[in-house]
């Protein structure tokens, strides 16, 4: 890996660690508001996917001789856009943002920022990021395999669990009924 890739790789790890700290602080605040966690049992899978993202890139780079493709600028550009969207989501949700599913009963869903247009912009960001980030390094196997696993976990497990919990504890269904999960609704 050249120096630029080492820096990008290191920043990705620092970003994840920093976000875990933000999530911890937000969890404490939500707990003080009467919030509770849903889906604890699948959270290690989510963490595992993100750990495997970095391990996969390392393994492919160091042992399988993956190298950045000549078109690395494309996934890098998409990755940069996803980072802008990621922090737009985090900033919009504020203390309600978390890497876990936390629900605060009777608190209205956030309908600002990207959440004005779709139900789950943060999940869209993560799905795109897991696809394109490894491609910057030429880690095609990691990109494809983790994208499939992550998308299945998000679609089949995490989102249905999160939406059910939000419907039961808030006016989520009423507020979000006209919004699509992943594609913008411009109404």
């Amino acid at each position: 890996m050249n120096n630029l890739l080492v820096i990008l790789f290191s920043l990705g790890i620092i970003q994840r660690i920093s976000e875990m700290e933000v999530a911890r602080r937000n969890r404490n605040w939500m707990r003080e508001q009467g919030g509770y966690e849903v889906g604890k049992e699948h959270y290690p899978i989510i963490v595992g996917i993100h750990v495997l993202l970095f391990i996969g890139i390392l393994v492919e780079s160091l042992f399988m001789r993956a190298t950045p493709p000549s078109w690395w600028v494309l996934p890098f550009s998409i990755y940069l856009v996803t980072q802008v969207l990621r922090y737009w989501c985090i900033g919009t949700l504020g203390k309600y943002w978390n890497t876990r599913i936390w629900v605060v009963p009777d608190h209205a869903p956030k309908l600002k920022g990207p959440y004005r247009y779709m139900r789950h912009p943060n999940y869209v960001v993560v799905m795109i990021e897991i696809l394109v980030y490894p491609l910057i390094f030429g880690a095609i196997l990691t990109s494809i395999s983790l994208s499939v696993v992550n998308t299945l976990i998000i679609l089949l497990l995490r989102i249905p669990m999160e939406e059910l919990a939000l419907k039961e504890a808030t006016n989520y269904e009423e507020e979000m009924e006209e919004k699509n999960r992943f594609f913008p609704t411009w109404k």
Side-chain angles (χ1 to χ4, degrees), residues 27-35 96 103-105 107:
R27 175 201 66 209
N28 292 343
W29 179 83
M30 286 186 275
R31 187 180 288 142
E32 290 170 4
Q33 307 305 306
Y96 293 96
V103 178
V104 183
H107 284 220

Side-chain angles (χ1 to χ4, degrees), residues 67-154:
T67 57
S70 59
W71 44 271
W72 69 270
V73 171
L74 177 62
F76 180 70
S77 299
I78 295 169
Y79 174 75
L80 289 178
V81 170
T82 63
Q83 297 317 293
V84 171
L85 294 173
R86 169 194 298 286
Y87 289 106
W88 190 21
C89 292
I90 292 171
T92 297
L93 292 179
K95 292 185 180 216
Y96 293 96
W97 179 84
N98 211 290
T99 57
R100 296 174 177 263
I101 300 173
W102 272 85
V103 178
V104 183
D106 301 321
H107 284 220
K110 291 287 188 166
L111 299 174
K112 298 176 183 175
Y115 296 90
R116 287 179 295 184
Y117 308 109
M118 69 178 81
R119 291 180 184 211
H120 299 291
N122 194 66
Y123 291 132
V124 171
V125 165
V126 172
M127 286 189 280
I128 293 170
E129 179 183 55
I130 287 175
L131 177 68
V132 301
Y133 185 70
L135 293 177
I136 298 167
F137 301 87
I140 295 170
L141 182 61
T142 299
S143 170
I144 293 169
S145 60
L146 288 183
S147 289
V148 169
V149 170
N150 181 65
T151 300
L152 289 173
I153 297 297
I154 295 292

